[in-house]
Amino acid sequence: MDIRTVGIVGAGQMGNGIAHVFALAGFEVLMNDISEDALNNAVALVDRNLERQVSRGKVTPEDKAAAMARIRTTTKLHELGPSDLIIEAATERETVKQAIFEDLLPHIQPHTILTSNTSSISITRLASRTDRPEKFMGFHFMNPVPVMQLVELIRGIATDEPTYKALHAVVEKLGKTAASAEDFPAFIVNRILMPMINEAVYTLYEGVGSVKSIDESMKLGANHPMGPLELADFIGLDTCLAIMNVLHDGLADTKYRPCPLLTKYVEAGWLGRKTQRGFYDYRGETPVPTR
Ligand SMILES: NC(=O)c1ccc[n+]([C@@H]2O[C@H](COP(=O)([O-])OP(=O)(O)OC[C@H]3O[C@@H](n4cnc5c(N)ncnc54)[C@H](O)[C@@H]3O)[C@@H](O)[C@H]2O)c1
């Protein structure tokens, strides 16, 4: 099927990146959020990130202008109704996502494909609450979307082949690489990545190392481009905790128990870069460990 128009729900760090790559690849994008400020920030961020690509010679000024002209925003969810493809990229909470799909259903087209950018939540369960589980998939982009090459494609138990093929073709049009994952908690990337981040938080909690020594050890000792605590701040500690809870509940194995220190940081509102404080404090010139 021919996908030309894309509705994006949630204009946070993932939503703006998804809007960026779709608009640059020639899709018409309509972005929705409950917050007008989030929408304005997202458009400003796309503009800034595209400008950086122009200054590096990766995008022409004409392509940037055309991409920006393809992005529209709305706080009214029902305006996404005519879209060929809808990508839900709102907060990682199942009730939030379910409510979004429920509110969308009366307004979408018979051919509309519904997807979620969830990092961990069951695609089969989200799909079962809609009128089209066969046209529903997990569409998991990586952060930052314009930079990261991979997109995980997750079929729910009822997803049909034309839907999978249509999304695979979209990934190719974006110039990215698709990896297929089965519908298990947190799929492939976060099933492996998040327990490592959680273990890094336990390492801090138990006093095995400081924030700096844990991150430096993994950067210099395991050749990771970012330390695990720095990466947790980048992802968002609320998102990390939500994913660990899905792993813990979904796989019923104590090895996925979220570290109490991660829970405490989220309770403090220290969610990482997006709130200026997480394992690092970003309010000064250079990030310093918060504690
Ligand atoms: N942060 C990452 O590294 C990462 C990577 C891959 C996937 N994801 C997934 O992407 C999704 C979004 O994550 P994020 O990091 O962009 O979160 P975020 O906190 O940066 O943004 C979430 C946005 O959703 C909006 N929102 C909340 N409820 C809404 C509703 N009912 N309708 C419309 N908008 C609503 C919020 O206002 C906010 O702007 C989550 O499912 C997350 O698991 C995140």
Side-chain angles (χ1 to χ4, degrees):
M1 74 164 287
D2 197 17
I3 294 172
R4 289 165 192 270
T5 54
V6 180
I8 299 170
V9 187
Q13 36 181 357
M14 294 309 290
N16 87 72
I18 294 169
H20 176 140
V21 297
F22 273 85
L24 201 54
F27 295 91
E28 293 297 326
V29 172
L30 181 56
M31 201 173 8
N32 160 266
D33 202 288
I34 42 174
S35 152
E36 188 86 52
D37 280 353
L39 288 169
N40 294 336
N41 290 340
V43 172
L45 209 54
V46 175
D47 190 78
R48 215 178 320 140
N49 290 336
L50 277 169
E51 194 51 47
R52 192 174 310 133
Q53 289 180 304
V54 170
S55 68
R56 289 183 184 154
K58 290 186 172 165
V59 170
T60 65
E62 296 73 30
D63 285 347
K64 179 201 160 189
M68 287 307 296
R70 288 189 201 104
I71 301 177
R72 292 177 302 123
T73 62
T74 177
T75 52
K76 299 186 184 82
L77 185 66
H78 68 85
E79 289 184 4
L80 271 55
S83 310
D84 299 319
L85 166 66
I86 291 179
I87 305 169
E88 173 279 311
T91 310
E92 184 74 344
R93 203 171 310 135
E94 190 158 344
T95 49
V96 170
K97 295 181 184 298
Q98 273 171 1
I100 288 169
F101 288 119
E102 242 158 62
D103 292 348
L104 272 170
L105 286 184
H107 308 287
I108 58 179
Q109 310 304 305
H111 71 272
T112 303
I113 293 179
L114 294 177
T115 67
S116 175
N117 185 49
T118 177
S119 304
S120 60
I121 297 168
S122 163
I123 298 305
T124 300
R125 210 161 55 229
L126 287 174
S128 73
R129 306 280 295 247
T130 73
D131 62 353
R132 61 194 66 202
E134 70 288 352
K135 284 193 173 62
F136 194 108
M137 272 190 61
F139 202 17
H140 186 216
F141 288 84
M142 309 293 137
N143 189 15
V145 184
V147 176
M148 301 298 279
Q149 186 61 25
L150 187 81
V151 184
E152 264 182 303
L153 292 180
I154 306 110
R155 275 180 264 226
I157 201 165
T159 308
D160 65 19
E161 199 56 22
T163 301
Y164 177 82
K165 283 195 174 140
L167 285 197
H168 201 282
V170 169
V171 174
E172 279 176 357
K173 197 168 168 195
L174 296 175
K176 295 197 180 287
T177 305
S180 290
E182 293 303 318
D183 187 20
F184 279 78
F187 323 123
I188 296 174
V189 173
N190 284 310
R191 170 82 176 260
I192 299 169
L193 177 66
M194 217 37 82
M196 185 204 68
I197 286 178
N198 194 47
E199 203 58 31
V201 186
Y202 268 115
T203 311
L204 178 68
Y205 182 56
E206 291 168 8
V208 182
S210 65
V211 168
K212 195 164 172 282
S213 61
I214 292 166
D215 274 351
E216 238 169 44
S217 298
M218 293 308 286
K219 278 196 280 192
L220 304 181
N223 223 9
H224 287 194
M226 282 171 107
L229 300 174
E230 196 185 353
L231 179 58
D233 276 358
F234 185 69
I235 294 168
L237 302 192
D238 52 339
T239 301
C240 293
L241 179 61
I243 297 169
M244 284 314 297
N245 279 324
V246 169
L247 280 167
H248 193 225
D249 296 345
L251 297 168
D253 189 328
T254 53
K255 76 178 177 183
Y256 298 111
R257 187 171 75 102
C259 179
L261 189 61
L262 179 61
T263 307
K264 202 169 269 185
Y265 272 53
V266 172
E267 285 171 353
W270 295 351
L271 307 184
R273 278 182 179 269
K274 62 184 165 189
T275 56
Q276 299 266 293
R277 232 181 321 180
F279 291 109
Y280 293 87
D281 188 329
Y282 299 90
R283 292 172 299 174
E285 285 228 324
T286 47
V288 289
T290 300
R291 293 174 76 237

